[in-house]
Coordinates of all heavy atoms in Angstrom, one line a residue:
E1 N -181.3 -147.5 -193.6 CA -182.1 -146.4 -193.1 C -181.6 -146.0 -191.7 O -181.6 -144.8 -191.4 CB -183.6 -146.9 -193.0 CG -184.2 -147.1 -194.3 CD -185.6 -147.6 -194.2 OE1 -186.2 -147.5 -193.1 OE2 -186.2 -148.1 -195.2
A2 N -181.3 -146.9 -190.8 CA -180.8 -146.6 -189.5 C -179.5 -145.8 -189.5 O -179.3 -144.8 -188.8 CB -180.6 -147.8 -188.6
A3 N -178.6 -146.2 -190.4 CA -177.3 -145.5 -190.5 C -177.5 -144.1 -191.1 O -176.9 -143.1 -190.6 CB -176.4 -146.3 -191.5
L4 N -178.4 -143.9 -192.1 CA -178.7 -142.6 -192.6 C -179.3 -141.7 -191.6 O -179.0 -140.5 -191.4 CB -179.5 -142.7 -193.8 CG -178.9 -143.3 -195.1 CD1 -179.9 -143.5 -196.2 CD2 -177.7 -142.5 -195.6
A5 N -180.3 -142.3 -190.8 CA -180.9 -141.5 -189.7 C -179.9 -141.1 -188.7 O -180.0 -139.9 -188.2 CB -182.0 -142.4 -189.1
A6 N -179.0 -141.9 -188.3 CA -178.0 -141.6 -187.3 C -177.1 -140.4 -187.8 O -176.8 -139.5 -187.1 CB -177.1 -142.8 -187.0
R7 N -176.7 -140.4 -189.1 CA -175.9 -139.3 -189.6 C -176.7 -138.0 -189.7 O -176.2 -137.0 -189.3 CB -175.4 -139.7 -191.0 CG -174.4 -140.9 -191.0 CD -173.7 -141.0 -192.3 NE -172.6 -142.0 -192.3 CZ -172.8 -143.3 -192.6 NH1 -174.0 -143.7 -193.0 NH2 -171.8 -144.2 -192.5
E8 N -178.0 -138.1 -190.1 CA -178.8 -136.9 -190.2 C -179.1 -136.3 -188.8 O -179.3 -135.1 -188.6 CB -180.1 -137.3 -190.9 CG -179.9 -137.6 -192.4 CD -181.2 -138.0 -193.0 OE1 -182.3 -138.1 -192.3 OE2 -181.2 -138.3 -194.2
A9 N -179.1 -137.2 -187.8 CA -179.3 -136.8 -186.4 C -178.0 -136.2 -185.8 O -178.0 -135.8 -184.6 CB -179.8 -137.9 -185.5
G10 N -176.9 -136.2 -186.5 CA -175.7 -135.6 -186.0 C -174.8 -136.5 -185.2 O -173.8 -136.1 -184.6
F11 N -175.0 -137.8 -185.3 CA -174.2 -138.8 -184.6 C -172.8 -138.8 -185.2 O -172.6 -138.7 -186.4 CB -174.8 -140.2 -184.6 CG -175.8 -140.4 -183.5 CD1 -177.1 -139.8 -183.5 CD2 -175.5 -141.2 -182.4 CE1 -178.0 -139.9 -182.5 CE2 -176.4 -141.3 -181.4 CZ -177.7 -140.7 -181.4
E12 N -171.8 -139.0 -184.3 CA -170.4 -139.1 -184.7 C -170.0 -140.6 -184.8 O -170.5 -141.4 -184.2 CB -169.6 -138.4 -183.6 CG -170.0 -137.0 -183.4 CD -169.4 -136.4 -182.1 OE1 -168.7 -137.2 -181.4 OE2 -169.6 -135.2 -181.9
G13 N -169.0 -140.8 -185.7 CA -168.4 -142.1 -185.8 C -169.4 -143.2 -186.2 O -169.2 -144.3 -185.8
V14 N -170.3 -142.8 -187.0 CA -171.3 -143.8 -187.5 C -170.7 -144.9 -188.3 O -170.0 -144.6 -189.3 CB -172.5 -143.2 -188.2 CG1 -173.5 -144.3 -188.7 CG2 -173.2 -142.2 -187.3
E15 N -170.8 -146.1 -188.0 CA -170.3 -147.2 -188.8 C -171.2 -148.4 -188.8 O -172.0 -148.6 -187.9 CB -168.9 -147.7 -188.2 CG -169.0 -148.2 -186.8 CD -167.6 -148.7 -186.3 OE1 -166.8 -149.2 -187.1 OE2 -167.4 -148.7 -185.1
T16 N -171.2 -149.2 -189.9 CA -172.1 -150.3 -190.1 C -171.2 -151.5 -190.3 O -170.3 -151.5 -191.1 CB -173.0 -150.1 -191.3 OG1 -173.7 -148.9 -191.1 CG2 -173.9 -151.3 -191.4
L17 N -171.5 -152.6 -189.5 CA -170.8 -153.8 -189.6 C -171.7 -155.0 -189.9 O -172.8 -155.0 -189.5 CB -170.1 -154.1 -188.3 CG -169.2 -153.0 -187.7 CD1 -168.7 -153.5 -186.3 CD2 -168.0 -152.8 -188.6
E18 N -171.2 -155.9 -190.7 CA -171.9 -157.2 -190.9 C -171.2 -158.2 -190.0 O -170.0 -158.3 -190.0 CB -171.8 -157.7 -192.4 CG -172.5 -159.0 -192.6 CD -172.4 -159.5 -194.0 OE1 -171.6 -159.0 -194.8 OE2 -173.1 -160.5 -194.3
T19 N -172.0 -159.0 -189.3 CA -171.5 -160.0 -188.4 C -171.3 -161.4 -189.2 O -172.3 -161.9 -189.6 CB -172.3 -160.2 -187.2 OG1 -172.6 -158.9 -186.6 CG2 -171.6 -161.1 -186.2
I20 N -170.1 -161.8 -189.4 CA -169.9 -163.1 -190.0 C -168.9 -163.8 -189.1 O -167.8 -163.3 -188.7 CB -169.3 -162.9 -191.4 CG1 -170.3 -162.2 -192.3 CG2 -168.9 -164.3 -192.0 CD1 -169.8 -162.0 -193.7
Q21 N -169.2 -165.1 -188.8 CA -168.3 -165.9 -188.0 C -168.2 -167.3 -188.6 O -169.2 -167.9 -189.0 CB -168.8 -166.0 -186.6 CG -168.0 -166.8 -185.6 CD -168.5 -166.7 -184.2 OE1 -168.5 -165.7 -183.6 NE2 -169.1 -167.8 -183.7
R22 N -167.0 -167.8 -188.8 CA -166.8 -169.1 -189.3 C -166.0 -170.0 -188.4 O -165.0 -169.6 -187.8 CB -166.0 -169.0 -190.7 CG -166.7 -168.3 -191.8 CD -166.0 -168.5 -193.1 NE -164.7 -167.9 -193.1 CZ -163.8 -168.0 -194.1 NH1 -164.2 -168.6 -195.2 NH2 -162.6 -167.5 -194.1
E23 N -166.5 -171.2 -188.2 CA -165.8 -172.1 -187.3 C -164.7 -172.8 -188.1 O -164.8 -173.0 -189.3 CB -166.8 -173.2 -186.9 CG -166.3 -174.2 -185.8 CD -167.3 -175.2 -185.3 OE1 -168.5 -174.9 -185.6 OE2 -166.9 -176.1 -184.6
M24 N -163.6 -173.1 -187.4 CA -162.5 -173.7 -188.0 C -162.6 -175.3 -187.9 O -162.9 -175.8 -186.8 CB -161.2 -173.2 -187.4 CG -160.9 -171.8 -187.6 SD -160.7 -171.4 -189.4 CE -159.1 -172.3 -189.7
D25 N -162.2 -176.0 -188.9 CA -162.1 -177.4 -188.9 C -160.6 -177.8 -188.9 O -159.8 -177.3 -189.7 CB -162.8 -178.0 -190.1 CG -164.3 -178.0 -190.1 OD1 -164.8 -177.9 -188.9 OD2 -164.9 -178.1 -191.1
F26 N -160.2 -178.7 -188.0 CA -158.9 -179.2 -187.9 C -158.9 -180.7 -188.1 O -159.6 -181.4 -187.4 CB -158.2 -178.9 -186.6 CG -158.1 -177.4 -186.3 CD1 -158.9 -176.8 -185.3 CD2 -157.3 -176.6 -187.1 CE1 -158.8 -175.4 -185.1 CE2 -157.3 -175.2 -186.8 CZ -158.0 -174.6 -185.8
S27 N -158.1 -181.2 -189.0 CA -158.1 -182.7 -189.3 C -156.6 -183.1 -189.6 O -155.8 -182.2 -189.8 CB -159.0 -183.1 -190.4 OG -158.6 -182.6 -191.6
D28 N -156.4 -184.4 -189.8 CA -155.1 -184.8 -190.2 C -154.7 -184.3 -191.6 O -153.5 -184.1 -191.9 CB -155.1 -186.4 -190.3 CG -155.2 -187.0 -188.9 OD1 -154.9 -186.2 -187.9 OD2 -155.6 -188.1 -188.7
R29 N -155.7 -184.0 -192.4 CA -155.5 -183.5 -193.8 C -155.0 -182.1 -193.8 O -154.3 -181.6 -194.7 CB -156.7 -183.7 -194.7 CG -157.1 -185.2 -194.9 CD -158.4 -185.2 -195.7 NE -158.2 -184.5 -197.0 CZ -159.2 -184.2 -197.8 NH1 -160.5 -184.5 -197.5 NH2 -159.0 -183.6 -199.0
G30 N -155.5 -181.3 -192.8 CA -155.1 -179.9 -192.7 C -156.2 -179.1 -192.0 O -157.1 -179.7 -191.4
S31 N -156.0 -177.8 -192.0 CA -156.9 -176.9 -191.3 C -157.5 -175.9 -192.3 O -156.9 -175.4 -193.2 CB -156.1 -176.1 -190.2 OG -155.4 -177.0 -189.4
R32 N -158.8 -175.7 -192.1 CA -159.5 -174.7 -193.0 C -160.8 -174.3 -192.3 O -161.3 -175.0 -191.4 CB -159.8 -175.3 -194.3 CG -160.8 -176.4 -194.3 CD -161.1 -177.0 -195.7 NE -162.1 -178.0 -195.7 CZ -162.6 -178.6 -196.8 NH1 -162.0 -178.3 -198.0 NH2 -163.5 -179.5 -196.8
P33 N -161.4 -173.2 -192.8 CA -162.7 -172.8 -192.3 C -163.8 -173.8 -192.6 O -163.7 -174.5 -193.7 CB -163.0 -171.5 -193.0 CG -161.7 -171.0 -193.4 CD -160.9 -172.2 -193.7

């Protein structure tokens, strides 16, 4: 709704992002999220 309202109000460069963050694990076996 906020993104549509921004576009209808004439805003430029409207973009929507999802925030996802993963911590990395490091061990003798290997590295992975």
